[in-house]
Amino acid sequence: MSRRGLLIILSSPSGAGKSTLARRLRNWDDTLRFSVSATTRPAREGEVEGQDYFFVSVADFQAGVAEGEMLEHARVFGNYYGSPQAPVKAAVDAGRDVLFDIDWQGAQQISNSALQEHVLSIFILPPSITELHRRLVKRGQDAEDVIEKRMQKSWDEISHWDGYDYVLVNDDLDQTEDKLKTIIGAERLRRSQQPSLVDHVRQLQTEFGERV
């Protein structure tokens, strides 16, 4: 194995662009594995079971948490969300990156988990609160009262920006995407992500000793 996989966390307030950026990253590198979350909320039009989310009952979700099957979990707007742990660990051990589109609560749990050394966390900020509201209205997924709840929650989410490894202002989607690619490329070369380096250095030491 040339390297270990990364747990790439993207977080932002609703409407700042993290889901769009996550999709763009997968188009850029089709080896990126998107972490499919489990949720208790109803499926939206066009969402596919096992592709967008695993849609489960509240009882089944809570049982999974109790049995330690979730890497992270949170309750957001009255619904539960969580990331199954087993497939994530298997991917990291196999050298495959896992992409997370989650909030700050989930990011914090993963950053404090047994897999924390492989975490790359990135927070996406909107260029302004006015633009954030415009994007929520434009995407047409929620009623006005839901949009207002998301706006009220946005400041709490933004207040956790300093708990991330990197923070980007998404004022231009293409430029933000390019910055994300640069960050991921560099983090894949982090020494802790390259277990084969130890054997390589030992081999160099052996070769050096043979020359003395």
Side-chain angles (χ1 to χ4, degrees), residues 11-209:
S11 299
S12 76
S14 295
K18 70 179 184 298
S19 297
T20 298
L21 288 165
R23 287 194 296 270
R24 287 194 174 202
L25 286 176
R26 291 195 68 199
N27 290 334
W28 163 63
D29 184 349
D30 59 10
T31 67
L32 278 173
R33 177 188 177 91
F34 189 78
S35 177
V36 180
S37 297
T39 182
T40 60
R41 75 159 172 78
R44 292 172 178 159
E45 184 177 355
E47 289 183 328
V48 179
E49 167 72 21
Q51 179 177 315
D52 297 292
Y53 287 95
F54 295 111
F55 298 99
V56 300
S57 68
V58 172
D60 287 345
F61 189 97
Q62 292 177 333
V65 171
E67 293 169 10
E69 297 174 356
M70 295 294 176
L71 181 63
E72 57 82 26
H73 64 278
R75 189 176 184 182
V76 183
F77 299 120
N79 297 303
Y80 290 100
Y81 294 82
S83 301
Q85 181 171 211
V88 174
K89 187 178 186 305
V92 169
D93 290 343
R96 298 192 304 272
D97 298 327
V98 183
L99 187 61
F100 292 84
D101 176 355
I102 56 177
D103 67 8
W104 69 268
Q105 294 168 304
Q108 189 174 62
Q109 291 179 54
I110 293 176
S111 294
N112 292 328
S113 74
L115 299 177
Q116 61 183 285
E117 67 176 311
H118 308 298
V119 170
L120 165 59
S121 61
I122 305 167
F123 195 87
I124 308 298
L125 288 170
S128 69
I129 297 302
T130 299
E131 175 62 15
L132 184 67
H133 183 266
R134 188 194 70 81
R135 292 176 183 177
L136 287 173
V137 173
K138 183 179 179 181
R139 72 184 187 181
Q141 292 182 348
D142 301 307
E144 184 58 40
D145 61 326
V146 176
I147 290 176
E148 185 56 34
K149 288 180 181 178
R150 293 188 185 280
M151 289 299 299
Q152 291 175 2
K153 185 176 175 58
S154 66
W155 180 246
D156 178 57
E157 295 169 328
I158 290 171
S159 70
H160 295 277
W161 68 276
D162 58 352
Y164 289 74
D165 298 320
Y166 296 86
V167 179
L168 301 175
V169 178
N170 185 24
D171 51 2
D172 182 287
L173 196 58
D174 292 336
Q175 290 183 13
T176 304
E177 178 186 356
D178 288 341
K179 291 174 183 177
L180 283 174
K181 293 175 183 177
T182 299
I183 291 168
I184 293 170
E187 289 289 325
R188 284 172 170 174
L189 298 175
R190 196 194 311 166
R191 179 170 58 83
S192 62
Q193 293 303 112
Q194 300 186 74
S196 60
L197 285 179
V198 174
D199 289 337
H200 184 72
V201 171
R202 286 174 179 167
Q203 178 61 34
L204 293 177
Q205 291 173 331
T206 299
E207 292 178 14
F208 185 81

